[in-house]
Amino acid sequence: MIYLDGNSLGPLPKSVDSALSSMVTDQWGAHLIKGWNVDDWMGQPMRVGNMIGKLVGAPEGSITMGDTLSVKVYQALSAGVQMRPDRKVILSDSGNFPSDLYMAQGLIAQLDQGHELRVVEPDDVMDAITDEVAVVMITQVDYRSGAVHDMAAMTAKAQAAGAVMIWDLAHSAGAVPVDLAGCGCEFAVGCTYKYLNGGPGAPAFIYVRPYVIEDIKPALSGWLGHDAPFAFDLDYRPAMGIERMRVGTPPVLQLTALESALAVWDGVEMADVRAASVRLTELFISEVEARCPELTLFSPRDPAHRGSQVSFAHAEGYAVMQALIARDVIGDFRAPNLIRFGFTPLYIDDADVTGAVDVLADILDNRVWDDPKYMAKSRVT
Amino acid sequence: MIYLDGNSLGPLPKSVDSALSSMVTDQWGAHLIKGWNVDDWMGQPMRVGNMIGKLVGAPEGSITMGDTLSVKVYQALSAGVQMRPDRKVILSDSGNFPSDLYMAQGLIAQLDQGHELRVVEPDDVMDAITDEVAVVMITQVDYRSGAVHDMAAMTAKAQAAGAVMIWDLAHSAGAVPVDLAGCGCEFAVGCTYKYLNGGPGAPAFIYVRPYVIEDIKPALSGWLGHDAPFAFDLDYRPAMGIERMRVGTPPVLQLTALESALAVWDGVEMADVRAASVRLTELFISEVEARCPELTLFSPRDPAHRGSQVSFAHAEGYAVMQALIARDVIGDFRAPNLIRFGFTPLYIDDADVTGAVDVLADILDNRVWDDPKYMAKSRVT
């Protein structure tokens, strides 16, 4: 198998099975309820958050873990809107992952306070940042094209216009260098099952700039975000710092898999990962363009504007991807016509790239995709 | 060890370690992204929901899994409030688990539409159900005392008053017979790491009465609650049925542990579990009252009004529980002065009960608890 879908679900790190088995047997099985203390399950969301912080330029104690990315988007959006009560526009772009837009729509309908979700084309976001905008919510790396927004420039523009900046780092964390502290954004969120290899359903992360956290009244005011969860007060009082963004009981099994998966990043420099990623994507594009003339590059050609994935358009992209998968070259399809390939230098090398293009060229040259068994659509691709 | 804390965290079922290892290695490791289809990870929240449905009297397709109980409370509350736009009172009781109250407080502050959380004493709930009340939100079994509310009677009274009924089944599912369809409530939520033994951080469940689901506009409108998640439309359109209460990517590892844990309920009748539970709690109360005169029963004396746990009050309850734990009799402490014991007939028998009372009586008779090492407070107990 040549796995070019680590941008959708990272593979199983070697350490995870035994780490999980040990947690299940030696912690849950042996310590039962005492695991919350003796195995520090309660501290795991902060401990794992700090591991991710090192990969995205966040200071210690500014990231916590839990829930799903959609829920973390909701927390950030709700807080952002609350920070700008006189403004009614949430600005995003059509390249944002749909769930982020859906969560905004749900929040707006629920608040019923006249907010508007304004969705512009990715290239038009900068110009659309006006003094009407309460919150700018953007996914740094476009899930379809891999196009990268300039975090520093956009954050500066948003803040100059008086808006709050939320970055979704789903396709950034572990893929491109990110400097959260340096860019000065108020919020960032991300998932951990892509480039961070935390496994299906791995918990999300949320970063809040330390400067603003104490002013946030969490919409999802769960007990583990309480200042004293085990006092069982009847009234909510937010915890100091990022812990107030915790909600319910942390998913210890998923966090254990993730914590084990993150250990592979010890001693890895994101600059080195990025350099290798650029080399791989450049090689892939040049090979595909030389050998697959039916495909049209959909990703930015300039690697400085591209994340760690490459998409090509093909009218029968779905069938082409199914034919690739049948030959054990795994990428994915994104509607309406994109075949998408992720390049993850921790386990993909030049030989994988050229090997994948060999198969792709053969599928296109011989119209292998033009077969009913590849044309049929299934729900998950 | 005598484990009387299965009402806080259930023990590790024998099947879970290998089920999880198999999922990790043979599904995630071998199938990678294809696991969503070939291993039906995408269908797991509904499949597991149906297993729980059998234990709580819910029809097929009326329960889905995910997130934490606090998040599911929020979804139900938000929907309930929305169903009664002309009413402003959320009614609950002081025996509700604090996180449920906190989530209501967060929702009310966020909505800023003049809602009020009205918290009355448990015995006063029925009388407090008036035509001002939009939503009645009650945990069926009080987490401190084990006192049980009458679901059928309270739901009938709420609905006669025009209110929406939400039941939290955290201390009910797997502990007492529940008839969700029969009682006619609109919503129920619960966790799965207590009597259902799903492990620390196991996902929550939410039930919505089929009759009302199609009218609900989810506040947490995530992509996996969308009618066509993989169409990547820019606009949210809720899925048919209970699937609209899904939010983000399901926690496959946690769900796999839970699914394996739930298999032990095959062929188990809740009526038999309940009969055994009553026998165990009756035995425990009679033994403690005969041998530990310093303790005051805090739970209802009538087993018909008591769930599957028993609490006693003691001025130095914290230290007493620490001394018990040091002797491997595990219960837990709940502020301000309760020692709490859960009775779980799947793995606790009469000998455990009398064995626990032997240790408890010795600790009290000899003031073993009166030791600095037991008096110091730690965060999680």
Side-chain angles (χ1 to χ4, degrees):
Chain A
M1 181 188 292
I2 299 177
Y3 193 65
L4 303 179
D5 210 8
N7 55 322
S8 187
L9 178 69
L12 171 67
K14 287 181 179 174
S15 64
V16 167
D17 184 33
S18 64
L20 203 51
S21 183
S22 168
M23 180 266 142
V24 165
T25 305
D26 305 333
Q27 297 186 9
W28 175 19
H31 302 153
L32 294 108
I33 190 70
K34 294 187 278 188
W36 290 109
N37 278 328
V38 301
D39 301 307
D40 198 23
W41 298 339
M42 200 50 79
Q44 199 176 27
M46 294 297 299
R47 193 168 70 235
V48 175
N50 284 332
M51 295 172 81
I52 290 173
K54 288 182 188 153
L55 302 176
V56 293
E60 284 270 311
S62 63
I63 289 182
T64 194
M65 310 299 303
D67 309 297
T68 62
L69 177 51
S70 294
V71 169
K72 291 311 185 199
V73 164
Y74 185 84
Q75 287 183 292
L77 263 181
S78 171
V81 163
Q82 177 195 93
M83 288 163 71
R84 297 293 181 272
D86 299 330
R87 298 182 176 204
K88 298 298 177 192
V89 174
I90 297 171
L91 177 66
S92 192
D93 72 15
S94 59
N96 204 345
F97 190 68
S99 200
D100 294 25
L101 304 179
Y102 301 160
M103 294 308 286
Q105 291 163 9
L107 176 67
I108 287 170
Q110 187 196 35
L111 290 178
D112 194 21
Q113 292 165 12
H115 289 88
E116 170 199 346
L117 174 63
R118 190 172 292 171
V119 178
V120 301
E121 291 301 299
D123 288 343
D124 298 335
V125 175
M126 287 292 277
D127 288 343
I129 298 173
T130 66
D131 61 10
E132 287 183 296
V133 175
V135 177
V136 182
M137 171 185 66
I138 299 291
T139 296
Q140 188 202 5
V141 179
D142 188 311
Y143 78 103
R144 304 161 309 169
S145 68
V148 177
H149 287 288
D150 182 333
M151 286 181 67
M154 191 174 287
T155 302
K157 175 132 195 203
Q159 293 181 342
V164 171
M165 187 75 225
I166 301 173
W167 285 106
D168 181 337
L169 303 178
H171 293 269
S172 307
V176 297
V178 173
D179 182 9
L180 282 177
C183 88
C185 65
E186 284 85 357
F187 299 94
V189 294
C191 66
T192 62
Y193 45 75
K194 299 179 184 291
Y195 295 91
L196 300 180
N197 310 308
F205 67 87
I206 185 165
Y207 160 85
V208 182
R209 193 182 179 193
Y211 183 74
V212 301
I213 184 71
E214 299 302 337
D215 294 326
I216 289 170
K217 296 180 185 67
L220 301 178
S221 45
W223 72 309
L224 288 185
H226 193 282
D227 191 42
F230 292 90
F232 300 105
D233 296 334
L234 294 186
D235 292 312
Y236 180 72
R237 185 176 73 245
M240 295 292 287
I242 191 69
E243 298 232 25
R244 72 180 58 185
M245 305 311 278
R246 292 174 66 164
V247 186
T249 302
V252 179
L253 278 62
Q254 301 273 175
L255 279 165
T256 298
L258 174 60
E259 187 168 5
S260 175
L262 288 172
V264 302
W265 295 91
D266 268 358
V268 173
E269 291 295 329
M270 279 309 303
D272 295 336
V273 173
R274 174 64 175 163
S277 158
V278 167
R279 192 189 71 242
L280 294 169
T281 58
E282 287 286 272
L283 176 63
F284 184 71
I285 290 170
S286 67
E287 288 281 314
V288 170
E289 292 198 322
R291 298 166 61 190
C292 307
E294 288 174 64
L295 296 179
T296 307
L297 181 65
F298 186 73
S299 299
R301 185 167 300 278
D302 179 353
H305 297 154
R306 197 172 65 219
S308 205
Q309 66 186 67
V310 174
S311 297
F312 283 91
H314 186 284
E316 295 296 342
Y318 180 85
V320 172
M321 183 51 69
Q322 293 308 109
L324 276 167
I325 291 170
R327 299 268 294 268
D328 259 353
V329 174
I330 316 293
D332 57 20
F333 170 76
R334 283 296 174 261
N337 65 347
L338 298 177
I339 53 176
R340 188 179 76 157
F341 304 89
F343 297 88
T344 47
L346 294 190
Y347 52 87
I348 292 295
D349 63 17
D350 292 9
D352 294 317
V353 172
T354 52
V357 180
D358 289 345
V359 177
L360 179 58
D362 182 61
I363 285 169
L364 292 167
D365 290 347
N366 297 299
R367 293 180 65 89
V368 173
W369 55 266
D370 189 7
D371 184 305
K373 73 174 178 269
Y374 299 137
M375 304 288 279
K377 305 250 172 179
S378 73
R379 182 168 171 214
V380 185
T381 60
Chain B
M1 182 188 291
I2 300 177
Y3 194 64
L4 303 179
D5 211 7
N7 55 322
S8 188
L9 177 70
L12 172 66
K14 287 182 179 175
S15 64
V16 167
D17 184 33
S18 63
L20 202 51
S21 183
S22 169
M23 180 265 143
V24 165
T25 305
D26 305 333
Q27 296 186 9
W28 175 20
H31 303 153
L32 296 108
I33 191 69
K34 292 187 279 188
W36 290 108
N37 278 329
V38 300
D39 300 307
D40 198 23
W41 298 339
M42 201 50 80
Q44 199 177 26
M46 294 297 299
R47 192 167 71 236
V48 175
N50 284 333
M51 295 173 80
I52 291 173
K54 288 182 188 152
L55 301 176
V56 293
E60 284 270 312
S62 63
I63 289 182
T64 192
M65 310 299 303
D67 308 299
T68 63
L69 177 51
S70 294
V71 169
K72 292 310 185 200
V73 165
Y74 185 84
Q75 287 184 291
L77 264 182
S78 172
V81 163
Q82 175 196 93
M83 288 164 72
R84 296 294 182 270
D86 299 330
R87 298 182 177 205
K88 298 297 177 193
V89 174
I90 297 171
L91 177 67
S92 192
D93 72 15
S94 60
N96 204 344
F97 190 68
S99 201
D100 294 26
L101 305 178
Y102 302 159
M103 295 307 287
Q105 290 164 9
L107 175 68
I108 286 170
Q110 186 196 36
L111 290 178
D112 194 21
Q113 292 164 11
H115 289 88
E116 171 199 345
L117 174 63
R118 190 171 293 171
V119 178
V120 301
E121 291 301 298
D123 287 344
D124 298 335
V125 175
M126 287 292 277
D127 288 342
I129 298 174
T130 65
D131 61 10
E132 287 182 295
V133 175
V135 178
V136 183
M137 170 183 68
I138 299 291
T139 296
Q140 189 202 7
V141 180
D142 188 311
Y143 78 103
R144 304 160 311 169
S145 68
V148 178
H149 287 288
D150 182 333
M151 285 182 67
M154 190 174 289
T155 302
K157 175 132 195 202
Q159 294 181 341
V164 171
M165 187 75 224
I166 300 174
W167 286 107
D168 181 337
L169 303 178
H171 293 269
S172 308
V176 296
V178 173
D179 182 9
L180 283 176
C183 88
C185 65
E186 285 85 356
F187 299 94
V189 294
C191 67
T192 61
Y193 45 74
K194 297 179 185 293
Y195 296 92
L196 300 180
N197 311 309
F205 67 86
I206 185 165
Y207 160 85
V208 182
R209 192 181 179 193
Y211 182 74
V212 301
I213 184 71
E214 300 301 337
D215 293 327
I216 289 171
K217 296 179 185 68
L220 301 178
S221 45
W223 72 309
L224 289 185
H226 193 283
D227 191 43
F230 292 91
F232 299 106
D233 295 335
L234 294 186
D235 292 312
Y236 181 72
R237 186 176 72 244
M240 295 292 287
I242 190 69
E243 298 232 26
R244 72 179 59 186
M245 304 312 276
R246 293 175 66 165
V247 186
T249 303
V252 179
L253 277 63
Q254 301 273 175
L255 280 164
T256 298
L258 174 60
E259 187 168 5
S260 175
L262 288 172
V264 303
W265 294 90
D266 268 358
V268 173
E269 291 295 329
M270 279 309 303
D272 296 337
V273 173
R274 174 64 177 164
S277 159
V278 168
R279 192 190 72 240
L280 294 169
T281 58
E282 287 287 272
L283 175 63
F284 184 71
I285 290 170
S286 67
E287 289 281 316
V288 170
E289 292 198 321
R291 299 166 60 190
C292 308
E294 289 173 64
L295 297 178
T296 308
L297 182 65
F298 185 75
S299 299
R301 186 168 300 277
D302 179 353
H305 297 152
R306 196 173 63 221
S308 204
Q309 66 187 66
V310 175
S311 297
F312 283 91
H314 185 284
E316 296 296 342
Y318 180 85
V320 172
M321 183 51 68
Q322 293 309 108
L324 276 167
I325 291 170
R327 300 267 293 268
D328 259 355
V329 174
I330 316 294
D332 57 21
F333 171 75
R334 284 295 176 261
N337 66 348
L338 298 177
I339 54 176
R340 189 180 75 158
F341 304 89
F343 297 88
T344 46
L346 293 191
Y347 52 88
I348 292 294
D349 63 17
D350 292 8
D352 294 316
V353 172
T354 52
V357 180
D358 289 344
V359 176
L360 179 59
D362 182 61
I363 283 170
L364 293 167
D365 290 347
N366 297 296
R367 293 181 65 89
V368 173
W369 56 265
D370 189 8
D371 184 307
K373 72 174 182 272
Y374 300 136
M375 303 288 280
K377 305 251 171 177
S378 71
R379 183 169 170 214
V380 185
T381 60

